[in-house]
Amino acid sequence: MKKFFILCFILITGNLIAQNSEMFSYKLDNFVSLKVPKNFVESDTLIDGVQIRQIRFKTKTYDFIAQRVLFENEDQKQSLSRLPYDYTSLIDEYNRVIARMRYRVPYYLKTTTLVEKEGFTGYNLKFANDLETPTYEAEFYLLNKNLYTFFYASDTNFDAKVSTELFNSVTINNKQDISQYLGKPPKYRFGYVIATYFFLSLILVGAIIYSIKIYRKKRGKPSIFHE
């Protein structure tokens, strides 16, 4: 698994400002939807081999980004998956994400709160500037092999009510096949590797013995097991 947290949360505002206050529901993908204004930007990019999908928009008072980042390669064998396999390992993975975010966000982390949406566990983080003024809020969920993160930022007009409305507008389609526990415990992965190498070793030894037997037979020599 790529230990990335390539944080594309740096708010790419450009010149596009959402003037229309009307919001409508829009699919980030088949699993996650959220409310967006008429004027928004979406993009699909590949950074260091990691797939990233974004929806972002800007108003006169705040910036918002919804982001999906591939957390583990799609071709990774499930038997060797390092994704969370239970609640404890999920929280451990989340703590690593928080550590990376704390390092990259140019504000002070003030609170970390476990949250739940449609039965799935996530985290909400709140940041503040040097004056203890709220400036930044993030919420994220690991679903299947993707990390979904939502960012709200406002240096001068942070509005907790607006951020709450935006985060609450995010919905997870629980009718889809979604899991937060697709990985395998370390002991299982270790056993799988040992068993695989043992099986391959038996095949290799068998092939060598068979080759020697055929070679000696062609040379008219008796089997090595009868000398």
Side-chain angles (χ1 to χ4, degrees), residues 71-132:
F71 208 70
E72 182 176 81
N73 291 335
E74 292 290 354
D75 58 356
Q76 174 64 60
K77 288 185 178 180
Q78 186 174 357
S79 299
L80 296 176
S81 174
R82 295 178 179 272
L83 288 169
Y85 51 88
D86 60 12
Y87 182 80
T88 299
S89 61
L90 176 65
I91 298 303
D92 288 342
E93 197 63 63
Y94 278 170
N95 285 333
R96 285 187 279 272
V97 172
I98 292 172
R100 293 182 181 90
M101 193 180 296
R102 187 173 188 175
Y103 174 75
R104 288 172 172 82
V105 174
Y107 303 109
Y108 298 101
L109 179 61
K110 304 304 293 183
T111 64
T112 61
T113 307
L114 276 170
V115 292
E116 187 172 295
K117 186 181 292 291
E118 322 295 348
F120 299 101
T121 301
Y123 254 104
N124 179 278
L125 312 180
K126 290 182 173 62
F127 296 81
N129 59 20
D130 293 333
L131 301 177
E132 297 295 317

Side-chain angles (χ1 to χ4, degrees), residues 18-213:
Q19 302 287 355
N20 193 338
S21 61
E22 292 184 7
M23 307 282 278
F24 65 96
S25 182
Y26 187 82
K27 285 185 177 182
L28 180 61
D29 57 20
N30 289 331
F31 304 112
V32 173
S33 301
L34 69 152
K35 292 289 185 63
V36 298
K38 180 179 179 181
N39 296 324
F40 71 94
V41 176
E42 59 181 326
S43 62
D44 288 283
T45 57
L46 194 68
I47 300 179
D48 293 337
V50 179
Q51 297 176 8
I52 300 173
R53 175 165 173 73
Q54 279 189 353
I55 288 177
R56 60 187 185 271
F57 56 89
K58 171 187 175 71
T59 72
K60 292 181 178 180
T61 57
Y62 70 84
D63 300 89
F64 189 83
I65 283 182
Q67 176 176 279
R68 183 195 69 197
V69 178
L70 184 63
F71 208 70
E72 182 176 81
N73 291 335
E74 292 290 354
D75 58 356
Q76 174 64 60
K77 288 185 178 180
Q78 186 174 357
S79 299
L80 296 176
S81 174
R82 295 178 179 272
L83 288 169
Y85 51 88
D86 60 12
Y87 182 80
T88 299
S89 61
L90 176 65
I91 298 303
D92 288 342
E93 197 63 63
Y94 278 170
N95 285 333
R96 285 187 279 272
V97 172
I98 292 172
R100 293 182 181 90
M101 193 180 296
R102 187 173 188 175
Y103 174 75
R104 288 172 172 82
V105 174
Y107 303 109
Y108 298 101
L109 179 61
K110 304 304 293 183
T111 64
T112 61
T113 307
L114 276 170
V115 292
E116 187 172 295
K117 186 181 292 291
E118 322 295 348
F120 299 101
T121 301
Y123 254 104
N124 179 278
L125 312 180
K126 290 182 173 62
F127 296 81
N129 59 20
D130 293 333
L131 301 177
E132 297 295 317
T133 302
T135 53
Y136 197 93
E137 187 171 350
E139 193 164 298
F140 59 85
Y141 299 84
L142 179 59
L143 307 172
N144 289 347
K145 293 186 176 184
N146 292 286
L147 186 71
Y148 295 82
T149 313
F150 310 92
F151 308 100
Y152 169 90
S154 180
D155 288 324
T156 57
N157 296 281
F158 189 95
D159 190 325
K161 182 179 179 180
V162 172
S163 68
T164 298
E165 289 177 352
L166 289 169
F167 290 129
N168 284 345
S169 78
V170 175
T171 59
I172 300 173
N173 186 0
N174 53 20
K175 292 182 180 179
Q176 293 287 340
D177 187 14
I178 301 174
S179 176
Q180 295 189 297
Y181 311 120
L182 293 179
K184 296 295 183 182
K187 290 182 178 179
Y188 179 95
R189 296 199 304 270
F190 179 76
Y192 176 84
V193 171
I194 294 299
T196 300
Y197 277 109
F198 178 73
F199 179 72
L200 291 176
S201 297
L202 288 179
I203 294 177
L204 179 61
V205 170
I208 292 173
I209 292 175
Y210 179 77
S211 298
I212 292 175
K213 183 177 179 180

